[in-house]
Structure formats: structure tokens, C-alpha cells
Amino acid sequence: MEHTTYSFLDLSGALAHSQLENYIFTGQGVGSVTVAYATDKSAHDLAADGVVMVSKLAGHQGTITIVCQQTSALHKWLLKALNKLFELPTSEWAQMSATLRNTSDGTSHVATGISFGKHPDKAYAAAGGSVTWVLWAAYIKSDAA
């Protein structure tokens, strides 16, 4: 019987910017990482006579959403990165890149032109929680092994 395996522990990633110390993570303190493309690859236009015109659309932009513990090293790095990049010249704002690799399923994503969305919401409560970071990427490329 065939089967496959998956483990979040097999995810490794890197966030890089020339004005920051690179951050390498292996999932510690991270709840999830989601890569979402913003552009459909096709559009269908239906004419009055029922003929469909199919358009192949360009566009590789999207978001990387990272949910991490509010006490994690990744959250602290992202806070420092956002604050520092906001103070630098505008030309530095979208110069961050990210690489994500999962060795168990053979997939990877490389994103460039990354900029920050808003500061994540943070609850102060009896128990620690998670924060959600949304990073906007001008270009995302995905590969499978």
C-alpha cells in the first residue's frame, strides 16, 4: 500500500535583506506558513454566442502569512525588521526576500520584493498566544522536486 509523509519539522526558511541580519528558521515557535498567490492564471470571457475566449494571465505576486508564537525569536526579528526598514530610505522597503523549503514533500518557494503589511494584532491575555504576520511579495516562484 502506498503512502506519503509530511512533517512541518521538515520546513526550513530564510528571510534576507542587505540591511538586516538574515533570519534562518526551522519552524521553532512557528504555527504555520502560508504562501498565497494573488493572481489567477486564467480568465474566461463568454461571448453572446457561447464561445469562450481563454486568456493566460501574467502575475506572480502574493502574500506569505506567518503565524508564530508572540514570544518566538521569529516574531521579535520581524518586529525589529519592520521598524528598521520603515526608517530606511524608501528604496530599501521592498528589498527583502524569502526562501522556503520542505524536504519531506520536495516543494520550495522563493519570494522577492517583500514588504510588510501592518503590525500584527497582539492580545495581552492570561495565556500567551500567536501573532499573524502578512508579508507582501512582488514575485513568488514555486517549485516541486
Side-chain angles (χ1 to χ4, degrees), residues 62-140:
T63 58
I64 299 172
T65 303
I66 301 171
V67 179
C68 58
Q69 293 173 335
Q70 67 185 31
T71 57
S72 69
L74 177 56
H75 173 59
K76 291 173 187 173
W77 186 90
L78 288 166
L79 277 173
K80 287 180 184 177
L82 170 57
N83 292 333
K84 180 168 183 170
L85 292 177
F86 199 78
E87 297 301 321
L88 291 174
T90 302
S91 60
E92 295 292 337
W93 181 245
Q95 296 301 315
M96 191 162 46
S97 63
T99 302
L100 301 168
R101 288 192 179 94
N102 189 293
T103 56
S104 66
D105 68 7
T107 59
S108 66
H109 288 87
V110 176
T112 57
I114 293 176
S115 59
F116 286 91
K118 68 179 188 75
H119 276 87
D121 297 337
K122 180 177 176 179
Y124 291 95
S130 295
V131 291
T132 301
W133 284 91
V134 178
L135 306 176
W136 293 72
Y139 184 86
I140 303 172

Side-chain angles (χ1 to χ4, degrees), residues 24-88:
I24 309 297
F25 67 93
T26 57
Q28 184 178 13
V30 179
S32 68
V33 177
T34 303
V35 177
Y37 284 92
T39 304
D40 289 331
K41 295 299 177 195
S42 290
H44 289 205
D45 182 69
L46 179 63
D49 64 357
V51 173
V52 176
M53 176 181 62
V54 178
S55 296
K56 178 182 171 184
L57 304 175
H60 297 277
Q61 77 276 16
T63 58
I64 299 172
T65 303
I66 301 171
V67 179
C68 58
Q69 293 173 335
Q70 67 185 31
T71 57
S72 69
L74 177 56
H75 173 59
K76 291 173 187 173
W77 186 90
L78 288 166
L79 277 173
K80 287 180 184 177
L82 170 57
N83 292 333
K84 180 168 183 170
L85 292 177
F86 199 78
E87 297 301 321
L88 291 174

Side-chain angles (χ1 to χ4, degrees), residues 1-7 104-105:
M1 175 174 275
E2 282 191 44
H3 70 281
T4 60
T5 58
Y6 169 84
S7 173
S104 66
D105 68 7

